[in-house]
Amino acid sequence: MTKQTKVVVAGASGKMGSEALRMVEKHDDLTLVGCVDLQHTGMQVKEVEGLPKFDAYFYDNIDTCFESVDADVLIDLTSPKVGYKHTKTAILNGVRPVVGTTGFSNEELKELTELAKEQKIGAVIAPNFAMGAVLMMQFSKWAAKHFPDVEIIEKHHDQKLDAPSGTAVKTAELIQEERTQKKQGHPDEEETIKGARGADFDGMRIHSMRLPGLVAHQEVVFGGPGENLTIKHDSFHRQSFMSGIKFAIDHVLHLDELVYGLEHLMMD
Amino acid sequence: MTKQTKVVVAGASGKMGSEALRMVEKHDDLTLVGCVDLQHTGMQVKEVEGLPKFDAYFYDNIDTCFESVDADVLIDLTSPKVGYKHTKTAILNGVRPVVGTTGFSNEELKELTELAKEQKIGAVIAPNFAMGAVLMMQFSKWAAKHFPDVEIIEKHHDQKLDAPSGTAVKTAELIQEERTQKKQGHPDEEETIKGARGADFDGMRIHSMRLPGLVAHQEVVFGGPGENLTIKHDSFHRQSFMSGIKFAIDHVLHLDELVYGLEHLMMD
Amino acid sequence: MTKQTKVVVAGASGKMGSEALRMVEKHDDLTLVGCVDLQHTGMQVKEVEGLPKFDAYFYDNIDTCFESVDADVLIDLTSPKVGYKHTKTAILNGVRPVVGTTGFSNEELKELTELAKEQKIGAVIAPNFAMGAVLMMQFSKWAAKHFPDVEIIEKHHDQKLDAPSGTAVKTAELIQEERTQKKQGHPDEEETIKGARGADFDGMRIHSMRLPGLVAHQEVVFGGPGENLTIKHDSFHRQSFMSGIKFAIDHVLHLDELVYGLEHLMMD
Amino acid sequence: MTKQTKVVVAGASGKMGSEALRMVEKHDDLTLVGCVDLQHTGMQVKEVEGLPKFDAYFYDNIDTCFESVDADVLIDLTSPKVGYKHTKTAILNGVRPVVGTTGFSNEELKELTELAKEQKIGAVIAPNFAMGAVLMMQFSKWAAKHFPDVEIIEKHHDQKLDAPSGTAVKTAELIQEERTQKKQGHPDEEETIKGARGADFDGMRIHSMRLPGLVAHQEVVFGGPGENLTIKHDSFHRQSFMSGIKFAIDHVLHLDELVYGLEHLMMD
């Protein structure tokens, strides 16, 4: 019989958290030992409508949880503020954190990195757990070395408020690290309708499409003489994050330091 | 043996004109009887480097040409100004014109239409002879009845000066005829980088990508709850215009009036 | 105040049926008066977990339902066998049926058509209510007139058992009605690995991709000299069927005959 | 003034060779000193119709050429047989070869590798100089580590004889090196028309589309729960190979060994 990894999920009542519970349910090498969430305190997971049939209990704070159960890994899908406290507490309790957040400050990251090093314990913090999105960004960064002409088109449902998307901007920033800076398009090009050429990010262009029916999609298109290279990611469902979380759990058990960004584990 | 249609090509030294000569060469039911062009006057086509091996001669004006040879059809690929005179002369000489231009005024079109009706002679004038592009525009117009949420992304080589492309604007105008007007996207959406949401055309959005390697491409994307419909045209080579010109020749022989726009012949 | 259309949903406990209940809930001009389903008989819709908060009751057969409530339209999302009986009963009771099925025989369709004509009542039966898919098929049929070279690539999740999909075969059949028959590809082409060129349907080719993550997607690609025309449909969610059902309801109220296939209402 | 690299082009009369001459013409840091080709011996390049206006001469064999002119780099775009002799001769003459071929045997490659090492001279031999295609293949290999479910669809003009394309098979082989072997699709899936699921390569599927208008295109689609990652290459023109040849020239000057495959220079 496989040794089972004992998991605590924080933020278990949210959309992501409940998806994480379903992911734990699907994997025989994982077992749920507790949930941290302000809702449902004292209830068993199986008593909450719509959640998998686990016996584990809900705790209203991480300290009580760690006092009550023995855990190997904490999956944290809360807010940056709560997540920071959770991560710290986990490391100090010898529990390896896997944290999904874009919101930690550099100071917080530095502190947590040093703490993990002192405690010789693995930790993974990632702004994006969709493995396909992580690869799209890394491949785009590498392609930009050889193809300085690049445009991004990202497509989302029409309930999205901001344009361009965070992933598009993050992709552009990664490309910028490798790309020889240039102003793209013809020097004399003219927009007969304002905005046609999209957002200008360091000379490259980003276009944001918003339509009902779309979920979350992005194409990064590189152009060179006679050829195009396109790297495209389609996210159809938030399930896509769960493969990345499972991947991080598998790796965090063998780490003795904090790793920020899934790409450092995926690109080995 | 098939009866052969006798063809004159005006603008035969240009890129489009020489492509038209190659098209005539490929079809057994067509034969070239003359070319009109200020260059090469008095030469035979076969004497000009890079052109097919026709015996027909170059004439410097259409009147001389029609006096010298007996023609069924005039393919006109010159400028709007010259093309107008050519079309008129052809109709008056009983030669059926097939004209590629976007530049005729409404007055000119009206006059030519009446002239063709008087003479009971067929004529085809079309702003676009790429049959795939014509279908893309017509299908988009029809889809817009049922899908008022639509965005256009057009992609061209980076030597193109204007954005959006003429075809994108024409497509948007056709969509506008059928679409229930609405302002698309979330009412509170915000561009964190100006231009991200593209050009606003009557509430729908047009995006223009410009990259080396690209030729001429357009996608019209319609969104509805849970689904997307995309109509896409890729023009890889100006050959694409020649199927439409051949199609127009085949039809103009059986017409007794002027038809403006290939769609009226294609949608029957 | 808008006059409300009184709706009965048959098959209301299924995935499609419950989606239909949510659709009724969203539209102010529709009101639910009853459900037909073997499950939940005697319960109110609002008593069933996961369904919208309607007061209407579940009935175990259509006759009892029509005796108990006054209805304008029947939405039938059951099986072909049950659906046939339901449709007949509805017409005889003066209730206009909107039926989603691919399974009626020609004899059944003929009989129902005549019955609707006798009763002078509208009815809509459609194998596909996704409006985007219906347009994709119609546009493909029309494009095939001018582009006899065409290949279909359909992409589905890897739990799908049959290849090609029913929609791909239906599309190919519609194309066949208009396309000049030809064996595509080079006459001497060779498969170095068997199956590379896909399924042969009357000389055109169909390719079936199956991958986790995909939902239901199809591209119909037409090729001509120098150009390609692609008509693509992405179905991301079964919601996509609901716009078509609402569209059929709006039209069935003004019909006095049976219409088979949404395209006849959409293409007017 | 930039130091100029002195270039010899072998196979200069072919389509690729003449494209290479135009590439040399466009770069100020390159200068043409000679051509090797059985045609046009003794003529200057500028005397041959359609070629750039170089003074350099055509030689009928590589030895005469190297005796007559002083060269830094040989661009070889001949056949495998001739190319092998040319590469060897170049290395022995202190001229750095850049060779485009898929046809060298392992023995030949081994011998040339040792020869370059002895002579401490750079050499680049590559089966594919389209930088976008090389990246597509490398990225696909890396993605396959994390996404064992993958299908390839390659699209070419309908004059192509073999299916799947060489690039598709090469891509599949690279994926195979990293992918955990599995039989994709549902275990019980059935083809209702033979070939629908494409070519089976080690459990993954390859589909070959052939249509007029297409040039050379490939999509590699990876599927995981809730997401897809697609890597796509479009080759619109053989120009696409020239950026890779220029890239190889720039690198070969600083190498002291033979490198096989452009990826080893691009991925540094």
Side-chain angles (χ1 to χ4, degrees), chain C residues 226-246:
Chain C
E227 65 175 335
N228 268 210
L229 174 70
T230 303
I231 302 165
K232 183 178 153 201
H233 183 250
D234 295 279
S235 181
F236 298 111
H237 193 275
R238 76 178 71 86
Q239 275 184 340
S240 61
F241 295 95
M242 295 307 135
S243 323
I245 290 180
K246 178 61 167 63

Side-chain angles (χ1 to χ4, degrees), chain B:
Chain B
M1 192 197 147
T2 333
K3 197 186 161 301
Q4 285 199 305
T5 303
K6 296 185 289 294
V7 173
V8 165
V9 176
S13 304
K15 282 184 180 183
M16 280 298 202
S18 56
E19 200 66 55
L21 293 178
R22 278 187 284 276
M23 183 271 291
V24 171
E25 188 185 25
K26 274 204 303 204
H27 288 97
D28 287 345
D29 59 339
L30 302 182
T31 188
L32 187 79
V33 295
C35 287
V36 179
D37 205 293
L38 291 180
Q39 287 184 60
H40 310 305
T41 313
M43 289 173 78
Q44 284 182 292
V45 175
K46 66 184 178 190
E47 295 171 314
V48 179
E49 190 187 311
L51 295 188
K53 301 301 166 205
F54 289 115
D55 292 327
Y57 283 88
F58 272 89
Y59 302 87
D60 65 352
N61 78 76
I62 195 117
D63 300 289
T64 324
C65 178
F66 288 158
E67 283 160 24
S68 312
V69 298
D70 183 35
D72 300 310
V73 170
L74 166 71
I75 302 175
D76 190 276
L77 299 164
T78 62
S79 64
K81 199 168 169 187
V82 175
Y84 166 69
K85 183 189 174 307
H86 281 183
T87 307
K88 202 165 159 180
T89 308
I91 294 175
L92 291 170
N93 280 271
V95 178
R96 292 155 189 269
V98 169
V99 186
T101 185
T102 55
F104 288 0
S105 70
N106 287 340
E107 290 68 38
E108 288 170 339
L109 283 174
K110 207 180 151 195
E111 187 198 340
L112 294 170
T113 302
E114 280 164 19
L115 195 62
K117 191 180 272 180
E118 280 167 31
Q119 304 285 325
K120 291 191 179 117
I121 194 171
V124 176
I125 300 175
N128 197 332
F129 274 110
M131 295 172 86
V134 171
L135 289 180
M136 172 184 64
M137 286 187 268
Q138 291 301 309
F139 293 166
S140 296
K141 182 179 171 178
W142 295 339
K145 266 193 203 186
H146 302 291
F147 290 94
D149 287 279
V150 52
E151 303 207 2
I152 298 173
I153 169 122
E154 51 92 348
K155 309 179 184 183
H156 285 82
H157 54 85
D158 62 352
Q159 296 310 300
K160 188 169 176 64
L161 290 177
D162 55 319
S165 70
T167 298
V169 172
K170 180 72 191 163
T171 306
E173 287 169 354
L174 287 169
I175 286 172
Q176 194 179 22
E177 292 177 21
E178 294 291 347
R179 171 178 172 262
T180 308
Q181 206 280 334
K182 64 176 288 192
K183 174 91 186 144
Q184 291 177 199
H186 194 284
D188 299 330
E189 74 178 3
E190 269 189 82
E191 290 182 340
T192 56
I193 309 178
K194 199 162 46 81
R197 289 285 287 118
D200 184 335
F201 184 102
D202 197 35
M204 58 185 133
R205 298 290 175 155
I206 308 176
H207 311 272
S208 302
M209 187 179 277
R210 298 289 176 265
L211 284 173
L214 287 167
V215 189
H217 318 263
Q218 181 172 302
E219 286 177 52
V220 188
V221 188
F222 295 90
E227 65 175 335
N228 269 208
L229 175 69
T230 303
I231 301 164
K232 184 178 153 203
H233 183 251
D234 294 280
S235 182
F236 298 111
H237 193 275
R238 78 178 67 89
Q239 275 185 338
S240 61
F241 295 95
M242 296 307 135
S243 323
I245 289 180
K246 178 61 167 63
F247 175 83
I249 293 173
D250 292 345
H251 280 70
V252 84
L253 296 170
H254 309 290
L255 292 172
D256 54 7
E257 58 177 352
L258 186 151
V259 170
Y260 182 77
L262 214 54
E263 58 275 19
H264 301 294
L265 301 175
M266 293 180 71
M267 291 295 128
D268 266 0

Side-chain angles (χ1 to χ4, degrees), chain D:
Chain D
M1 192 199 149
T2 334
K3 198 189 159 298
Q4 286 198 304
T5 303
K6 295 183 291 293
V7 173
V8 166
V9 175
S13 303
K15 281 183 180 183
M16 280 298 204
S18 57
E19 199 68 54
L21 292 179
R22 278 187 283 277
M23 183 272 291
V24 171
E25 187 185 25
K26 274 203 304 204
H27 288 99
D28 287 345
D29 58 341
L30 302 181
T31 189
L32 187 79
V33 295
C35 288
V36 179
D37 205 294
L38 291 180
Q39 287 185 58
H40 310 306
T41 313
M43 289 172 78
Q44 285 181 292
V45 174
K46 67 184 177 190
E47 294 172 315
V48 180
E49 190 187 311
L51 295 188
K53 302 302 166 205
F54 288 116
D55 292 327
Y57 284 88
F58 272 90
Y59 301 88
D60 65 352
N61 78 76
I62 195 116
D63 300 289
T64 324
C65 178
F66 287 158
E67 281 161 26
S68 312
V69 299
D70 182 34
D72 300 310
V73 169
L74 167 71
I75 302 176
D76 190 275
L77 299 164
T78 61
S79 63
K81 198 168 168 185
V82 175
Y84 165 70
K85 182 188 175 310
H86 282 182
T87 308
K88 202 164 158 179
T89 308
I91 295 175
L92 291 170
N93 280 270
V95 178
R96 291 154 190 268
V98 169
V99 186
T101 186
T102 55
F104 288 179
S105 69
N106 287 340
E107 290 68 36
E108 288 170 338
L109 282 174
K110 208 179 150 198
E111 187 197 339
L112 294 171
T113 301
E114 279 164 20
L115 194 63
K117 191 181 272 180
E118 279 168 30
Q119 304 285 324
K120 290 190 180 117
I121 194 172
V124 175
I125 300 175
N128 197 332
F129 274 109
M131 295 172 87
V134 171
L135 289 179
M136 172 184 62
M137 286 187 267
Q138 291 299 310
F139 292 166
S140 296
K141 182 180 171 177
W142 295 339
K145 266 193 202 187
H146 302 292
F147 290 93
D149 288 279
V150 51
E151 302 207 4
I152 298 172
I153 169 121
E154 51 93 348
K155 309 179 184 184
H156 285 82
H157 54 85
D158 62 352
Q159 297 309 301
K160 189 170 175 64
L161 291 177
D162 56 318
S165 71
T167 298
V169 172
K170 181 72 191 163
T171 306
E173 287 169 354
L174 287 169
I175 286 172
Q176 193 180 23
E177 291 177 23
E178 294 291 348
R179 172 178 172 262
T180 307
Q181 206 279 335
K182 64 176 289 192
K183 174 91 185 145
Q184 291 177 199
H186 194 285
D188 298 330
E189 74 178 1
E190 270 189 80
E191 289 181 341
T192 55
I193 309 177
K194 199 162 47 79
R197 288 285 288 118
D200 183 336
F201 184 102
D202 198 34
M204 57 184 134
R205 299 289 175 156
I206 308 176
H207 311 272
S208 300
M209 187 178 277
R210 299 288 176 266
L211 284 173
L214 287 167
V215 188
H217 318 263
Q218 181 172 301
E219 285 177 52
V220 188
V221 188
F222 295 89
E227 65 175 333
N228 269 208
L229 175 69
T230 303
I231 302 164
K232 183 177 152 203
H233 183 250
D234 294 280
S235 182
F236 298 109
H237 193 276
R238 78 179 67 88
Q239 275 184 339
S240 62
F241 295 94
M242 296 307 135
S243 322
I245 290 180
K246 179 60 167 64
F247 176 82
I249 294 173
D250 292 345
H251 280 70
V252 82
L253 295 170
H254 308 291
L255 291 172
D256 54 7
E257 58 176 354
L258 185 151
V259 170
Y260 181 78
L262 214 55
E263 59 274 21
H264 301 293
L265 301 175
M266 293 179 71
M267 290 296 128
D268 266 0

Side-chain angles (χ1 to χ4, degrees), chain A residues 142-160:
Chain A
W142 295 339
K145 265 192 203 188
H146 302 292
F147 290 94
D149 288 280
V150 51
E151 302 206 4
I152 298 173
I153 169 121
E154 51 92 351
K155 308 179 184 183
H156 285 82
H157 53 85
D158 61 353
Q159 297 309 300
K160 190 170 175 62

Side-chain angles (χ1 to χ4, degrees), chain C residues 212-229:
Chain C
L214 288 167
V215 189
H217 317 264
Q218 180 173 302
E219 285 177 53
V220 188
V221 188
F222 294 90
E227 65 175 335
N228 268 210
L229 174 70

Side-chain angles (χ1 to χ4, degrees), chain A residues 140-152 175-176 178-187 189 197 201-207 219-231, chain B residues 156-159 209-214, chain D residues 135 243:
Chain A
S140 295
K141 182 180 171 178
W142 295 339
K145 265 192 203 188
H146 302 292
F147 290 94
D149 288 280
V150 51
E151 302 206 4
I152 298 173
I175 287 172
Q176 193 179 23
E178 295 290 347
R179 171 178 173 263
T180 307
Q181 206 279 335
K182 64 176 289 192
K183 176 90 185 144
Q184 292 177 199
H186 193 284
E189 74 178 2
R197 289 286 287 120
F201 184 102
D202 197 35
M204 58 184 133
R205 298 290 176 157
I206 308 177
H207 311 273
E219 286 176 52
V220 188
V221 188
F222 294 90
E227 65 176 335
N228 268 209
L229 175 69
T230 303
I231 301 165
Chain B
H156 285 82
H157 54 85
D158 62 352
Q159 296 310 300
M209 187 179 277
R210 298 289 176 265
L211 284 173
L214 287 167
Chain D
L135 289 179
S243 322

